[in-house]
Amino acid sequence: MPAVKKSPAVQQEEIIIKTFKKALIEKGWQAQHLAKLCKMEPSRISLILNHPMNVKIDTILMIAAKLDIDSIPIIR
């Protein structure tokens, strides 16, 4: 059975998830610490970390800034 090709949106979401989670690991942070820095509930941060395409871009950029992420690759 051939592999199912992922849509660009799904590919982009996977990149954002990996980038955020890698930054958390590198900093030694838990999602709860990021939630506190972002002034959000931990459950909201968890949702964003697992489904970033369901939130506004300004929220993604704010979280990226808190994690000191300079850029996120874009799928075209």
Side-chain angles (χ1 to χ4, degrees):
M1 187 165 163
V4 176
K5 184 172 179 172
K6 296 177 184 176
S7 72
V10 170
Q11 292 175 15
Q12 187 66 61
E13 184 169 59
E14 288 176 351
I15 288 170
I16 294 169
I17 291 168
K18 287 178 185 175
T19 302
F20 282 177
K21 290 185 178 181
K22 180 181 175 194
L24 280 170
I25 291 167
E26 287 174 353
K27 290 186 169 297
W29 293 358
Q30 300 267 333
Q32 293 82 359
H33 181 69
L34 180 60
K36 187 174 181 178
L37 290 175
C38 294
K39 298 179 179 151
M40 294 182 179
E41 292 294 322
S43 60
R44 177 82 173 132
I45 285 292
S46 178
L47 178 67
I48 293 168
L49 292 176
N50 291 299
H51 303 286
M53 299 301 271
N54 293 340
V55 298
K56 294 181 182 179
I57 189 69
D58 61 333
T59 303
I60 296 297
L61 294 174
M62 185 263 301
I63 291 171
K66 297 292 184 189
L67 290 169
D68 295 321
I69 296 171
D70 294 327
S71 66
I72 297 172
I74 303 295
I75 298 295
R76 294 179 190 244

PDB file of all heavy atoms in Angstrom, residues 4-7 12 19 22 29 33 35-36 43 55 57 59-62 68-69:
ATOM      1  N   VAL A   4       0.538   7.597   2.243  1.00  0.00           N
ATOM      2  CA  VAL A   4      -0.352   8.725   2.009  1.00  0.00           C
ATOM      3  C   VAL A   4       0.460  10.003   2.159  1.00  0.00           C
ATOM      4  O   VAL A   4       1.155  10.193   3.171  1.00  0.00           O
ATOM      5  CB  VAL A   4      -1.531   8.721   3.018  1.00  0.00           C
ATOM      6  CG1 VAL A   4      -2.404   9.943   2.828  1.00  0.00           C
ATOM      7  CG2 VAL A   4      -2.327   7.442   2.875  1.00  0.00           C
ATOM      8  N   LYS A   5       0.385  10.857   1.141  1.00  0.00           N
ATOM      9  CA  LYS A   5       1.137  12.109   1.183  1.00  0.00           C
ATOM     10  C   LYS A   5       0.416  13.091   2.113  1.00  0.00           C
ATOM     11  O   LYS A   5      -0.786  13.281   2.029  1.00  0.00           O
ATOM     12  CB  LYS A   5       1.261  12.709  -0.207  1.00  0.00           C
ATOM     13  CG  LYS A   5       2.117  13.939  -0.209  1.00  0.00           C
ATOM     14  CD  LYS A   5       2.410  14.429  -1.589  1.00  0.00           C
ATOM     15  CE  LYS A   5       3.254  15.681  -1.421  1.00  0.00           C
ATOM     16  NZ  LYS A   5       3.773  16.182  -2.634  1.00  0.00           N
ATOM     17  N   LYS A   6       1.183  13.699   2.996  1.00  0.00           N
ATOM     18  CA  LYS A   6       0.621  14.661   3.947  1.00  0.00           C
ATOM     19  C   LYS A   6       0.430  16.003   3.266  1.00  0.00           C
ATOM     20  O   LYS A   6       1.260  16.413   2.455  1.00  0.00           O
ATOM     21  CB  LYS A   6       1.541  14.817   5.150  1.00  0.00           C
ATOM     22  CG  LYS A   6       1.682  13.554   5.960  1.00  0.00           C
ATOM     23  CD  LYS A   6       2.658  13.744   7.090  1.00  0.00           C
ATOM     24  CE  LYS A   6       2.869  12.436   7.832  1.00  0.00           C
ATOM     25  NZ  LYS A   6       3.878  12.554   8.866  1.00  0.00           N
ATOM     26  N   SER A   7      -0.634  16.674   3.628  1.00  0.00           N
ATOM     27  CA  SER A   7      -0.890  18.001   3.077  1.00  0.00           C
ATOM     28  C   SER A   7       0.153  18.984   3.615  1.00  0.00           C
ATOM     29  O   SER A   7       0.748  18.755   4.673  1.00  0.00           O
ATOM     30  CB  SER A   7      -2.292  18.478   3.462  1.00  0.00           C
ATOM     31  OG  SER A   7      -2.328  18.804   4.838  1.00  0.00           O
ATOM     32  N   GLN A  12       3.362  21.439   7.930  1.00  0.00           N
ATOM     33  CA  GLN A  12       3.733  22.652   8.661  1.00  0.00           C
ATOM     34  C   GLN A  12       3.463  22.498  10.141  1.00  0.00           C
ATOM     35  O   GLN A  12       4.270  22.877  10.979  1.00  0.00           O
ATOM     36  CB  GLN A  12       2.977  23.866   8.113  1.00  0.00           C
ATOM     37  CG  GLN A  12       3.431  25.181   8.711  1.00  0.00           C
ATOM     38  CD  GLN A  12       4.865  25.509   8.315  1.00  0.00           C
ATOM     39  OE1 GLN A  12       5.150  25.643   7.141  1.00  0.00           O
ATOM     40  NE2 GLN A  12       5.747  25.640   9.285  1.00  0.00           N
ATOM     41  N   THR A  19       9.621  21.844  16.473  1.00  0.00           N
ATOM     42  CA  THR A  19      10.444  22.998  16.835  1.00  0.00           C
ATOM     43  C   THR A  19      10.174  23.426  18.273  1.00  0.00           C
ATOM     44  O   THR A  19      11.113  23.671  19.047  1.00  0.00           O
ATOM     45  CB  THR A  19      10.177  24.169  15.869  1.00  0.00           C
ATOM     46  OG1 THR A  19      10.452  23.731  14.527  1.00  0.00           O
ATOM     47  CG2 THR A  19      11.039  25.372  16.196  1.00  0.00           C
ATOM     48  N   LYS A  22      11.396  20.624  20.765  1.00  0.00           N
ATOM     49  CA  LYS A  22      12.852  20.605  20.830  1.00  0.00           C
ATOM     50  C   LYS A  22      13.358  21.752  21.700  1.00  0.00           C
ATOM     51  O   LYS A  22      14.253  21.567  22.533  1.00  0.00           O
ATOM     52  CB  LYS A  22      13.439  20.708  19.424  1.00  0.00           C
ATOM     53  CG  LYS A  22      14.946  20.685  19.400  1.00  0.00           C
ATOM     54  CD  LYS A  22      15.478  20.805  17.987  1.00  0.00           C
ATOM     55  CE  LYS A  22      16.990  20.896  18.001  1.00  0.00           C
ATOM     56  NZ  LYS A  22      17.529  21.338  16.720  1.00  0.00           N
ATOM     57  N   TRP A  29      12.725  22.899  30.138  1.00  0.00           N
ATOM     58  CA  TRP A  29      11.451  23.401  30.655  1.00  0.00           C
ATOM     59  C   TRP A  29      10.354  22.362  30.511  1.00  0.00           C
ATOM     60  O   TRP A  29      10.358  21.543  29.601  1.00  0.00           O
ATOM     61  CB  TRP A  29      11.003  24.639  29.908  1.00  0.00           C
ATOM     62  CG  TRP A  29      11.830  25.865  30.094  1.00  0.00           C
ATOM     63  CD1 TRP A  29      12.926  26.015  30.888  1.00  0.00           C
ATOM     64  CD2 TRP A  29      11.641  27.114  29.440  1.00  0.00           C
ATOM     65  NE1 TRP A  29      13.422  27.290  30.785  1.00  0.00           N
ATOM     66  CE2 TRP A  29      12.657  27.984  29.897  1.00  0.00           C
ATOM     67  CE3 TRP A  29      10.729  27.594  28.510  1.00  0.00           C
ATOM     68  CZ2 TRP A  29      12.764  29.299  29.464  1.00  0.00           C
ATOM     69  CZ3 TRP A  29      10.832  28.890  28.073  1.00  0.00           C
ATOM     70  CH2 TRP A  29      11.838  29.741  28.550  1.00  0.00           C
ATOM     71  N   HIS A  33       5.931  25.526  32.891  1.00  0.00           N
ATOM     72  CA  HIS A  33       6.779  26.718  32.991  1.00  0.00           C
ATOM     73  C   HIS A  33       6.502  27.652  31.815  1.00  0.00           C
ATOM     74  O   HIS A  33       6.379  28.870  31.997  1.00  0.00           O
ATOM     75  CB  HIS A  33       8.254  26.323  33.022  1.00  0.00           C
ATOM     76  CG  HIS A  33       9.175  27.495  33.138  1.00  0.00           C
ATOM     77  ND1 HIS A  33       9.264  28.261  34.280  1.00  0.00           N
ATOM     78  CD2 HIS A  33      10.023  28.050  32.239  1.00  0.00           C
ATOM     79  CE1 HIS A  33      10.138  29.243  34.079  1.00  0.00           C
ATOM     80  NE2 HIS A  33      10.610  29.131  32.847  1.00  0.00           N
ATOM     81  N   ALA A  35       3.744  27.835  30.164  1.00  0.00           N
ATOM     82  CA  ALA A  35       2.409  28.404  30.399  1.00  0.00           C
ATOM     83  C   ALA A  35       2.491  29.610  31.321  1.00  0.00           C
ATOM     84  O   ALA A  35       1.853  30.643  31.067  1.00  0.00           O
ATOM     85  CB  ALA A  35       1.484  27.343  30.990  1.00  0.00           C
ATOM     86  N   LYS A  36       3.285  29.500  32.364  1.00  0.00           N
ATOM     87  CA  LYS A  36       3.433  30.612  33.303  1.00  0.00           C
ATOM     88  C   LYS A  36       4.056  31.822  32.608  1.00  0.00           C
ATOM     89  O   LYS A  36       3.588  32.956  32.780  1.00  0.00           O
ATOM     90  CB  LYS A  36       4.290  30.178  34.494  1.00  0.00           C
ATOM     91  CG  LYS A  36       4.367  31.185  35.600  1.00  0.00           C
ATOM     92  CD  LYS A  36       5.110  30.629  36.802  1.00  0.00           C
ATOM     93  CE  LYS A  36       5.148  31.644  37.919  1.00  0.00           C
ATOM     94  NZ  LYS A  36       5.821  31.113  39.103  1.00  0.00           N
ATOM     95  N   SER A  43      -3.264  23.764  30.313  1.00  0.00           N
ATOM     96  CA  SER A  43      -4.038  23.003  29.327  1.00  0.00           C
ATOM     97  C   SER A  43      -4.066  23.697  27.972  1.00  0.00           C
ATOM     98  O   SER A  43      -4.058  23.045  26.929  1.00  0.00           O
ATOM     99  CB  SER A  43      -5.469  22.768  29.828  1.00  0.00           C
ATOM    100  OG  SER A  43      -6.127  24.006  30.043  1.00  0.00           O
ATOM    101  N   VAL A  55      -4.559  27.812  16.350  1.00  0.00           N
ATOM    102  CA  VAL A  55      -4.472  29.086  17.080  1.00  0.00           C
ATOM    103  C   VAL A  55      -3.986  30.180  16.137  1.00  0.00           C
ATOM    104  O   VAL A  55      -3.472  29.913  15.051  1.00  0.00           O
ATOM    105  CB  VAL A  55      -3.538  28.987  18.307  1.00  0.00           C
ATOM    106  CG1 VAL A  55      -4.050  27.982  19.307  1.00  0.00           C
ATOM    107  CG2 VAL A  55      -2.136  28.638  17.893  1.00  0.00           C
ATOM    108  N   ILE A  57      -1.738  33.137  14.546  1.00  0.00           N
ATOM    109  CA  ILE A  57      -0.298  33.217  14.301  1.00  0.00           C
ATOM    110  C   ILE A  57       0.406  34.060  15.354  1.00  0.00           C
ATOM    111  O   ILE A  57       1.538  33.755  15.731  1.00  0.00           O
ATOM    112  CB  ILE A  57      -0.004  33.726  12.867  1.00  0.00           C
ATOM    113  CG1 ILE A  57       1.485  33.608  12.532  1.00  0.00           C
ATOM    114  CG2 ILE A  57      -0.460  35.171  12.705  1.00  0.00           C
ATOM    115  CD1 ILE A  57       1.988  32.216  12.392  1.00  0.00           C
ATOM    116  N   THR A  59      -0.160  34.147  18.457  1.00  0.00           N
ATOM    117  CA  THR A  59       0.066  33.268  19.613  1.00  0.00           C
ATOM    118  C   THR A  59       1.275  32.367  19.350  1.00  0.00           C
ATOM    119  O   THR A  59       2.127  32.193  20.230  1.00  0.00           O
ATOM    120  CB  THR A  59      -1.185  32.422  19.913  1.00  0.00           C
ATOM    121  OG1 THR A  59      -2.290  33.298  20.120  1.00  0.00           O
ATOM    122  CG2 THR A  59      -0.980  31.542  21.130  1.00  0.00           C
ATOM    123  N   ILE A  60       1.368  31.832  18.146  1.00  0.00           N
ATOM    124  CA  ILE A  60       2.517  30.998  17.775  1.00  0.00           C
ATOM    125  C   ILE A  60       3.803  31.809  17.878  1.00  0.00           C
ATOM    126  O   ILE A  60       4.811  31.347  18.427  1.00  0.00           O
ATOM    127  CB  ILE A  60       2.351  30.448  16.340  1.00  0.00           C
ATOM    128  CG1 ILE A  60       1.144  29.521  16.244  1.00  0.00           C
ATOM    129  CG2 ILE A  60       3.627  29.748  15.864  1.00  0.00           C
ATOM    130  CD1 ILE A  60       1.212  28.280  17.076  1.00  0.00           C
ATOM    131  N   LEU A  61       3.766  33.043  17.371  1.00  0.00           N
ATOM    132  CA  LEU A  61       4.958  33.896  17.403  1.00  0.00           C
ATOM    133  C   LEU A  61       5.343  34.279  18.828  1.00  0.00           C
ATOM    134  O   LEU A  61       6.532  34.345  19.158  1.00  0.00           O
ATOM    135  CB  LEU A  61       4.736  35.144  16.543  1.00  0.00           C
ATOM    136  CG  LEU A  61       4.588  34.878  15.045  1.00  0.00           C
ATOM    137  CD1 LEU A  61       4.215  36.172  14.315  1.00  0.00           C
ATOM    138  CD2 LEU A  61       5.838  34.262  14.466  1.00  0.00           C
ATOM    139  N   MET A  62       4.358  34.513  19.684  1.00  0.00           N
ATOM    140  CA  MET A  62       4.639  34.849  21.077  1.00  0.00           C
ATOM    141  C   MET A  62       5.299  33.669  21.789  1.00  0.00           C
ATOM    142  O   MET A  62       6.280  33.840  22.511  1.00  0.00           O
ATOM    143  CB  MET A  62       3.336  35.245  21.788  1.00  0.00           C
ATOM    144  CG  MET A  62       3.532  35.725  23.226  1.00  0.00           C
ATOM    145  SD  MET A  62       3.262  34.470  24.503  1.00  0.00           S
ATOM    146  CE  MET A  62       1.589  34.004  24.204  1.00  0.00           C
ATOM    147  N   ASP A  68      12.766  31.507  22.593  1.00  0.00           N
ATOM    148  CA  ASP A  68      13.956  31.999  21.881  1.00  0.00           C
ATOM    149  C   ASP A  68      14.153  31.316  20.529  1.00  0.00           C
ATOM    150  O   ASP A  68      15.282  31.043  20.110  1.00  0.00           O
ATOM    151  CB  ASP A  68      15.231  31.831  22.729  1.00  0.00           C
ATOM    152  CG  ASP A  68      15.201  32.694  23.977  1.00  0.00           C
ATOM    153  OD1 ASP A  68      14.718  33.840  23.896  1.00  0.00           O
ATOM    154  OD2 ASP A  68      15.654  32.221  25.029  1.00  0.00           O
ATOM    155  N   ILE A  69      13.047  31.065  19.846  1.00  0.00           N
ATOM    156  CA  ILE A  69      13.101  30.483  18.505  1.00  0.00           C
ATOM    157  C   ILE A  69      13.144  31.633  17.511  1.00  0.00           C
ATOM    158  O   ILE A  69      12.235  32.467  17.478  1.00  0.00           O
ATOM    159  CB  ILE A  69      11.872  29.581  18.241  1.00  0.00           C
ATOM    160  CG1 ILE A  69      11.892  28.392  19.197  1.00  0.00           C
ATOM    161  CG2 ILE A  69      11.835  29.132  16.789  1.00  0.00           C
ATOM    162  CD1 ILE A  69      10.628  27.561  19.190  1.00  0.00           C
TER     163      ILE A  69
END
